[in-house]
């Protein structure tokens, strides 16, 4: 009891014999819970399959919301306005079940209260909107479950937590937005305590007053400025980008999200290219420079290859070898060798830089490589995983130099069937460095260096690819945008990158090596006692959830495309679907939606297979200069070649999770840099210039439009559609005019002009010039825009603010997959 009064305002009175219905979020108050400790249990909220289940969940929620006091059975019955004898017996029985399950505890005086430790779960805050957040629960594998498992938390109930924080949250059900009959109820909760702060530093633009300063965060998920005392301004000037160390976080018992901090780094004047790229790296917690001791350790590594280095290696320096890479690449981490055998077969060597020869366990280089876990590819620069001496020098397979490599060598028939395979350390000498464009010109013109070798490799690659698709691989071809920049980093042009045969040639042989290395390590397990599996680092890609597939299939059908999602036919049907949309205006958006429907690839020691590639086992072996998991794969392969026993599974699983997380952060930074340059490019356009585009997303606050010629995306806000009041039809990815019945649907062609660009937020607003909007034929599923608190953007992103409130959203999530395969197919499969 607080202030002598029970918290009776948490639930409204129910009609006799029925469970209570909670009041609206706007009128329901909650007391803030204090710090809670103890073991965390993860008994899931029961989905309501019957009236009794629903009543039990309401009882559980009542105790958890009012967890600061205890209630007698009579008080509970009175709260639920229960007078019917049979309902009283049911309530008594359900309270007994909750007591047996440990959700509530019977006190010595006979009253009941919520168990402080029951139904608490750990997760990470995703503060998608200034009004609410989602807590993403932890899982045993570290992989996010279905988004329906995320826990909705009002900003008022975050208890001082902010985006990225790890928290303990108490869960309960909320039926207010249950939707249609039979749909799942949303899981709602409130934060009990902050376990760990997700970030201690933030990046933003500083505004300085005579007595203090404020930093406006770059992060779209931090909704309050950071107060900086005058003595902690760190020499920053007004309107500069800075890195701030947070010294005070929002108070757990206050609704005001008040931060304080101190400036630790001045990045430069906001808007300058170098400043903004450094700001993006800092925003995502990615390093800008190598520590001095790491650089010094790299410089001490000898550059000369000694006889002892060659003693235990297969010498392949006399075999024809070359590299094919992007024209601006400097880290050549793979090469191909080709020679014809007397029996008519071909020996193809896939040679990978032997990074682990130079980066040794326990070294500063090893520690830094693990910490970074990946190179980061921004629009105008590469932030490497390894110092330049290694990434661009010792380990880079530059032409006309002897290099130490780790190789997969295959004897292939003319039909690309494997006859023999060999794995081990080698020495090679690259005869030629090709760019993708150079090699493609040779193939196109049938003239140039190593024409016969290139033609052979291309023919074999086609056969390998055909076999892969025959076995069920899915052909995801997502658009990658490229920029032409001037000497100051200003974008002069944006254009889609074209993947040609040479890109696919390299990709196919890298896939072959990655697949066979994984299978080879697994095959060596048979010599272990008790059948123990060899621990290996796998790249896994699990099958998509059936409900997400069916939702995507239903949506595609509404646009006139057929997609059969039955397990037996999924891959072939998906490939036919991809072929059917090729060249269509909506192709890019549908490809992105299809990718979002799939599970995310990640690293794991469990050999779960790769669904998209249709490989039973698959690893990452071919890019150790820029990916730490490849270094782990090299070490493990050599360990098993040396007859080593299975290594500690848990140690490597932890490293896999870390690598997956760092990859995600790097990918987000890459997308942020692309978005920034797209906005900068569009900000330089002639005023009122018209652009053809396609609707790429539909939300409660507007429609997103992607410009066809350059893939730049912006928002047409609902309040700017002044000809009617539009309703959001979430199920059908469209908005519909209330009076005119005009529809704007995902995939529709429109013409827009740039209304406003915001470089700080990396966002654009468009205004409609003309459209092909049609008339609605079925309004049965429409919902008024802005009504659902937990609306999420079609295609997987979450919605933001109400469409008619002018404040709008802080922007949609960056489009998945754009810029992902930056190395011509050697990316993140």
């Amino acid at each position: 009891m607080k202030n002598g009064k029970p918290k009776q305002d948490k639930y409204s009175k129910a009609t006799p014999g029925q469970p209570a219905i909670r009041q609206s979020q706007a009128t329901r108050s909650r007391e803030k819970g204090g710090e809670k400790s103890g073991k965390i249990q993860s008994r899931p909220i029961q989905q309501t399959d019957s009236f009794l289940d629903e009543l039990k969940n309401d009882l559980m929620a009542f105790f958890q919301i009012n967890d600061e006091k205890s209630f007698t059975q009579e008080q509970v019955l009175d709260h639920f306005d229960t007078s019917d004898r049979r309902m009283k017996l049911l309530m008594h029985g359900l309270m007994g079940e909750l007591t047996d399950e440990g959700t509530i505890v019977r006190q010595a005086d006979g009253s009941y209260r919520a168990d402080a430790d029951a139904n608490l779960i750990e997760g990470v805050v995703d503060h998608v909107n200034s009004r609410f957040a989602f807590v993403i629960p932890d899982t045993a594998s570290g992989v996010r479950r279905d988004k329906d498992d995320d826990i909705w938390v009002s900003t008022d109930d975050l208890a001082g937590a902010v985006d990225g924080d790890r928290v303990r949250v108490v869960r309960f059900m909320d039926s207010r937005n249950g939707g249609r009959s039979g749909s799942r109820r949303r899981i709602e909760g409130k934060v009990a305590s902050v376990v760990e702060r997700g970030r201690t530093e933030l990046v933003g633009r500083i505004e300085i007053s005579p007595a203090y300063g404020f930093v406006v965060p770059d992060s779209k998920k931090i909704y309050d400025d950071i107060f900086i005392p005058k003595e902690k301004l760190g020499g920053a000037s007004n309107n500069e980008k800075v890195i701030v160390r947070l010294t005070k976080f929002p108070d757990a018992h206050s609704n005001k999200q008040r931060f304080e901090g101190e400036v630790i780094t001045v990045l430069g004047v906001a808007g300058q290219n170098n400043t903004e790229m450094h700001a993006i790296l800092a925003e995502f917690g990615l390093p800008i420079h190598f520590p001095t001791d790491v650089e010094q350790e790299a410089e001490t590594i000898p550059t000369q290859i000694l006889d002892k280095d060659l003693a235990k290696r297969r010498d392949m320096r006399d075999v024809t070898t070359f590299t094919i890479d992007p024209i601006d690449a400097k880290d050549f981490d793979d090469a191909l060798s080709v020679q014809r055998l007397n029996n008519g077969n071909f020996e193809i060597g896939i040679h990978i830089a032997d990074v682990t020869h130079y980066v040794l366990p326990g070294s500063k280089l090893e520690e830094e490589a693990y910490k970074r876990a990946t190179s980061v590819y921004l629009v105008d620069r590469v932030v490497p995983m390894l110092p330049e001496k290694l990434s661009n020098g010792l380990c880079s397979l530059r032409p006309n130099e002897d290099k130490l490599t780790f190789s997969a060598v295959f004897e292939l028939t003319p039909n690309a069937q494997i006859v023999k395979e060999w794995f081990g350390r080698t020495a090679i000498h690259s005869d030629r460095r090709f760019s993708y464009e150079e090699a493609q010109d040779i193939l196109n013109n049938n003239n140039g260096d190593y024409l016969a070798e290139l033609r052979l490799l291309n023919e074999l690659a086609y056969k390998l690819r055909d076999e892969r698709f025959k076995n069920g691989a899915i052909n995801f071809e997502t658009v990658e945008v490229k920029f032409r920049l001037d000497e100051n980093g200003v974008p002069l042009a944006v254009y889609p990158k074209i993947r040609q045969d040479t890109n696919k040639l390299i990709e196919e042989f890298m896939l072959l090596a990655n697949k066979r290395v994984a299978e080879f390590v697994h095959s060596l397990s048979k010599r272990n006692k008790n059948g123990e599996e060899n621990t290996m680092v796998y790249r896994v890609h699990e099958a998509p959830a059936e409900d997400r597939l069916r939702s995507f299939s239903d949506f595609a059908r509404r646009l006139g495309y057929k997609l059969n999602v039955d397990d037996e036919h999924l891959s072939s049907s998906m490939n036919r679907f991809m072929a059917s949309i090729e060249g269509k205006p909506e192709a890019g958006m549908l490809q992105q939606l299809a990718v979002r429907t799939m599970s995310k690839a990640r690293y794991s020691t469990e050999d779960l297979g790769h669904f998209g590639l249709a490989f039973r086992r698959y690893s990452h072996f071919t890019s150790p200069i820029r990916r730490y998991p490849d270094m782990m794969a090299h070490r493990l392969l050599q360990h098993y070649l040396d007859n080593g026993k299975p290594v500690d599974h848990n140690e490597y699983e932890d490293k896999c999770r870390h690598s997956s997380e760092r990859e995600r952060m790097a990918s987000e930074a890459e997308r942020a840099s692309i978005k920034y340059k797209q906005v900068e490019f569009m900000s330089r356009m002639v005023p009122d210039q018209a652009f053809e585009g396609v609707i790429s997303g539909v939300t409660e606050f507007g429609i997103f439009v992607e410009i066809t010629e350059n893939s730049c995306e912006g928002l047409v806000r609902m309040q700017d559609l002044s000809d009617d009041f539009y309703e959001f039809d979430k199920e059908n990815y469209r908005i519909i005019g209330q009076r005119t019945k005009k529809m704007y649907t995902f995939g529709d062609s429109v013409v827009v002009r740039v209304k406003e660009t915001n470089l700080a937020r990396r966002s654009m607003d468009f205004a409609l010039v003309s459209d092909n909007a049609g008339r609605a034929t079925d309004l049965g599923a429409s919902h008024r825009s802005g009504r659902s608190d937990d609306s999420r953007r079609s295609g997987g992103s979450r919605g933001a603010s109400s469409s008619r409130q002018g404040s709008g959203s802080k922007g949609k999530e960056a489009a998945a997959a754009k810029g992902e395969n930056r190395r011509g197919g050697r990316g993140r499969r």
Side-chain angles (χ1 to χ4, degrees):
M1 184 172 293
K2 190 166 184 173
N3 298 326
K5 297 180 180 179
K7 293 189 278 188
Q8 296 294 327
D9 62 326
K10 295 303 179 70
Y11 274 60
S12 62
K13 287 282 185 178
T15 55
Q18 294 293 331
I21 303 298
R22 262 181 273 172
Q23 298 171 9
S24 68
Q25 177 66 36
T27 60
R28 185 178 74 248
S29 63
R30 295 206 190 106
E31 301 295 335
K32 299 296 179 185
E35 295 287 318
K36 298 179 185 290
S37 59
K39 67 178 183 178
I40 296 170
Q41 301 184 19
S42 58
R43 187 176 70 82
I45 289 284
Q46 296 295 312
Q47 295 302 325
T48 54
D49 296 326
S50 70
F51 166 72
L52 287 180
D53 291 332
E54 186 165 340
L55 182 57
K56 184 176 177 181
N57 278 331
D58 283 336
L59 272 170
M60 180 167 61
F62 168 74
F63 278 102
Q64 289 170 344
I65 295 171
N66 299 283
D67 59 352
E68 295 176 4
K69 66 166 296 185
S70 60
F71 300 88
T72 65
Q73 282 196 356
E74 288 70 25
Q75 286 175 317
V76 174
L77 294 174
D78 178 64
H79 173 81
F80 281 90
D81 203 11
T82 304
S83 57
D84 181 78
R85 180 174 176 276
R86 285 174 296 178
M87 278 301 299
K88 287 184 177 181
L89 290 174
L90 284 175
M91 296 280 277
H92 287 314
L94 291 175
M95 288 180 67
E97 286 184 22
L98 291 173
T99 304
D100 293 340
E101 293 166 0
T103 302
I104 61 176
V105 177
R106 193 171 190 271
Q107 309 277 75
D109 63 0
S111 64
Y112 297 83
R113 69 176 299 156
D115 186 336
D117 295 334
N119 214 40
L120 275 175
I121 189 169
E122 276 197 15
V124 176
V125 175
D126 183 10
H127 203 171
V128 300
N129 185 285
S130 61
R131 295 175 288 119
F132 60 85
F134 288 90
V135 173
I136 303 168
D138 289 348
T139 62
S141 64
V143 180
R144 185 178 188 174
R145 290 189 292 251
D146 190 278
K147 288 185 178 180
D148 285 338
D149 293 325
D150 295 351
I151 303 164
W152 189 97
V153 181
S154 166
T155 295
D156 291 340
D157 287 338
L158 284 174
V162 297
D163 184 73
D165 287 353
R166 176 169 295 282
V167 297
R168 289 191 178 105
V169 62
V170 59
R171 304 171 298 173
F172 48 88
M173 278 298 196
D174 183 359
S175 61
R176 290 177 298 112
N177 289 321
R180 300 182 308 277
S181 177
S183 63
R184 296 179 62 182
R185 301 172 79 195
R186 187 183 64 199
I187 301 175
E188 188 175 337
K190 66 175 182 177
V191 171
S193 62
V194 176
V195 177
E196 182 182 7
R197 293 293 181 182
R199 60 185 91 198
T200 57
E201 297 175 2
L202 286 172
V203 179
R205 178 179 56 84
I206 194 165
E207 298 177 356
I208 297 179
S209 300
Y212 56 85
F214 276 100
V215 170
V216 182
D218 281 1
S219 173
K220 297 176 182 179
K221 296 184 178 183
I222 301 295
Y223 301 95
D224 295 274
D225 297 345
I226 304 153
F227 175 79
I228 310 293
K230 185 176 182 179
E231 67 275 11
K232 295 183 179 180
L233 291 173
S237 300
N238 195 54
N239 203 39
E240 287 188 315
K241 278 288 178 76
V242 298
I243 302 177
V244 177
R245 178 184 292 118
L246 298 175
T247 57
K248 180 180 178 182
F249 286 86
D251 187 86
H253 303 289
S254 171
N255 290 334
K256 294 184 180 295
Q257 298 286 290
R258 181 68 179 268
F259 291 94
E260 287 189 16
E262 58 182 349
V263 174
I264 57 173
T265 304
V266 178
L267 296 173
V269 178
Q272 292 183 351
N273 180 70
N274 207 48
T275 299
E276 296 299 337
M277 293 301 107
H278 283 171
I280 287 171
L281 291 170
E283 178 184 344
F284 292 97
L286 299 167
I288 298 173
H289 305 291
F290 282 98
T292 302
D293 57 351
V294 174
E295 292 275 18
Q296 290 175 344
E297 187 174 89
E299 289 302 318
T300 64
I301 299 175
T303 57
Q304 186 178 2
I305 297 177
L306 305 176
D307 290 341
K308 66 177 183 178
D309 297 327
L310 300 172
K312 294 183 179 181
R313 292 176 180 268
R314 179 174 172 176
D315 193 339
M316 301 188 69
R317 288 176 290 178
D318 292 333
V319 181
T320 298
T321 304
F322 46 76
T323 61
I324 308 177
D325 288 277
I327 194 168
D328 55 352
K330 296 179 181 178
D331 55 339
F332 314 138
D333 50 9
D334 53 73
L336 296 176
S337 67
V338 186
Q339 61 179 331
R340 184 182 296 272
L341 302 178
N342 293 332
N343 61 5
N345 292 338
F346 308 100
E347 182 186 270
I348 308 298
I350 300 162
H351 308 287
I352 311 301
D354 191 1
V355 173
T356 55
H357 174 82
Y358 299 102
V359 180
L360 303 178
S363 65
K364 296 289 185 182
L365 283 166
E366 164 73 14
E367 181 181 336
E368 185 68 15
Y370 172 70
K371 179 181 177 182
R372 295 182 177 222
T374 182
S375 295
V376 184
Y377 293 84
L378 302 187
V379 165
D380 69 331
R381 70 193 65 199
V382 177
V383 182
M385 184 179 75
L386 299 170
E388 186 174 348
K389 180 175 180 178
L390 289 166
S391 60
N392 294 354
L394 281 177
C395 295
S396 185
L397 306 184
R398 300 184 297 194
N400 306 313
E401 296 180 14
D402 291 349
K403 292 292 180 178
L404 302 181
T405 47
F406 213 138
S407 303
V409 182
F410 301 97
E411 180 181 337
L412 300 179
T413 69
N415 289 323
Q417 299 299 307
I418 299 174
V419 177
K420 294 180 183 177
E421 61 185 16
W422 179 90
F423 304 95
R425 283 187 151 106
T426 55
I428 66 164
H429 185 98
S430 176
D431 301 293
R432 175 75 149 83
R433 183 259 160 138
F434 290 106
S435 68
Y436 285 121
E437 294 78 7
E438 287 175 325
Q440 190 65 49
D441 285 344
I442 291 171
L443 287 174
N444 291 344
N445 299 321
N446 286 315
N447 183 44
D449 294 345
Y450 301 103
L451 172 62
E453 287 82 357
L454 287 170
R455 289 172 66 178
L456 170 64
L457 289 171
N458 197 38
E459 290 169 4
L460 291 172
Y462 264 101
K463 291 169 182 174
L464 288 169
R465 186 159 54 252
D466 289 345
E467 181 69 15
R468 189 159 54 82
F469 290 143
K470 179 182 174 182
N471 292 334
I474 299 176
N475 186 23
F476 289 120
E477 289 282 356
T478 53
V479 176
E480 177 184 342
V481 295
K482 300 284 287 182
F483 294 83
R484 182 161 57 87
L485 308 174
D486 69 9
E487 64 276 7
N488 296 316
V490 176
L492 304 177
V494 187
Y495 55 93
K497 179 180 177 181
I498 306 299
R499 273 172 36 88
Q500 303 184 81
D501 279 352
T502 48
N503 299 89
K504 298 173 184 178
L505 179 161
I506 291 296
E507 178 180 47
E508 214 56 51
F509 284 103
M510 298 307 113
L511 293 176
L512 176 65
N514 288 332
K515 172 188 174 183
R516 293 310 307 167
V517 163
E519 294 288 2
F520 177 71
V521 169
H522 175 76
S523 71
L524 295 179
S525 300
K526 62 178 179 277
R527 67 191 183 190
N528 297 333
K529 293 181 179 179
N530 303 320
E532 186 179 1
E533 292 282 343
N534 284 333
T535 299
M536 183 58 176
V537 172
Y538 297 101
R539 180 68 165 179
V540 301
H541 182 227
E542 293 151 288
E546 183 178 348
D547 58 342
R548 297 182 68 185
L549 269 177
R550 296 205 176 277
S551 294
F552 177 67
S553 175
D554 290 343
F555 174 62
R557 178 175 48 77
R558 293 188 187 105
L559 295 181
Y561 299 103
K562 184 178 180 180
L563 177 61
N564 184 354
V565 296
D566 293 339
D567 289 345
E568 185 179 351
H569 306 107
L570 178 58
S571 59
S572 58
S573 182
M574 185 67 78
N575 285 329
R576 286 195 300 271
F577 169 76
M578 291 295 182
S580 70
I581 66 175
E582 190 172 350
K584 303 292 176 62
E586 63 270 23
M589 278 66 67
L590 285 171
Q591 288 167 348
Q592 288 180 32
L593 275 182
V595 169
R596 290 173 183 172
T597 301
M598 300 293 120
S599 302
K600 300 297 183 186
R602 60 187 174 90
Y603 297 104
S604 177
T605 55
E606 297 183 73
D607 58 342
L608 302 176
H610 197 293
F611 173 79
L613 295 172
F615 289 160
R616 175 62 188 86
R617 292 179 184 85
Y618 182 65
S619 185
H620 267 179
F621 170 80
T622 54
S623 295
I625 290 178
R626 60 192 182 91
R627 294 189 305 222
Y628 187 79
D630 301 57
M631 290 177 58
M632 290 193 285
H634 281 213
R635 288 193 177 119
L636 289 170
L637 174 57
Q638 188 60 57
H639 174 75
Y640 298 125
L641 287 171
D642 294 338
N643 297 314
K645 302 302 180 185
V647 300
D648 181 61
H649 173 276
N650 292 331
E651 175 189 348
Y652 276 87
E653 185 62 29
D654 289 344
K655 291 180 178 180
C656 285
R657 290 179 184 174
H658 168 78
S659 298
S660 296
E661 177 61 21
R662 296 303 293 177
E663 177 190 55
R664 183 186 66 80
M665 297 295 286
S667 180
E668 288 181 3
E670 292 172 27
R671 289 199 294 268
S673 76
I674 291 169
K675 188 66 177 179
Y676 182 88
K677 287 300 174 187
Q678 287 176 323
V679 175
E680 184 180 4
F681 176 72
M682 294 303 296
S683 71
R684 299 165 58 83
M685 294 294 100
V686 177
D688 295 328
Q689 181 176 349
F691 300 92
E692 293 185 356
V694 177
I695 294 178
S696 56
V698 184
T699 74
E700 60 179 7
F701 51 86
I703 55 176
F704 286 91
V705 175
E706 183 176 289
I707 295 174
T708 305
E709 66 181 75
N710 55 32
S711 298
C712 296
E713 189 177 52
L715 173 67
V716 178
R717 295 188 181 276
M718 202 79 87
Q719 63 258 30
D720 291 335
L721 297 174
S722 56
D723 63 325
D724 203 343
F725 182 84
Y726 286 85
E727 297 180 330
F728 176 41
D729 180 359
K730 183 178 180 182
E731 283 73 22
N732 292 294
Y733 300 86
R734 64 188 180 184
I735 58 174
I736 304 170
Q738 191 178 69
R739 177 177 53 83
T740 63
K741 304 298 187 263
K742 181 186 284 187
M743 291 190 304
Y744 293 99
T745 304
F746 183 97
D748 282 353
S749 297
V750 294
V751 177
V752 297
R753 62 175 175 81
V754 178
K755 179 185 176 185
E756 180 185 359
T757 58
N758 189 321
L759 279 168
R761 285 169 42 194
R762 300 190 286 271
S763 65
M764 288 181 283
D765 281 0
F766 290 160
L768 272 181
V769 175
S770 64
D771 59 74
N772 295 320
R775 296 274 173 172
T777 58
D778 175 17
L779 302 185
S782 65
H783 306 285
R784 185 168 305 279
S785 61
R787 179 170 293 178
S788 173
D789 284 335
D790 65 342
S791 293
R792 302 188 183 188
R793 179 184 173 186
S794 60
S797 300
R798 288 174 170 140
S801 62
S802 173
S803 62
R804 292 286 165 180
Q805 288 179 347
S807 61
S809 162
K810 274 212 159 193
K812 69 149 204 167
E813 287 183 2
K818 289 186 180 178
E820 188 163 290
N821 289 335
R822 188 165 302 280
R823 300 262 306 160
R826 299 185 228 188
R828 299 187 173 84
R829 290 215 190 220

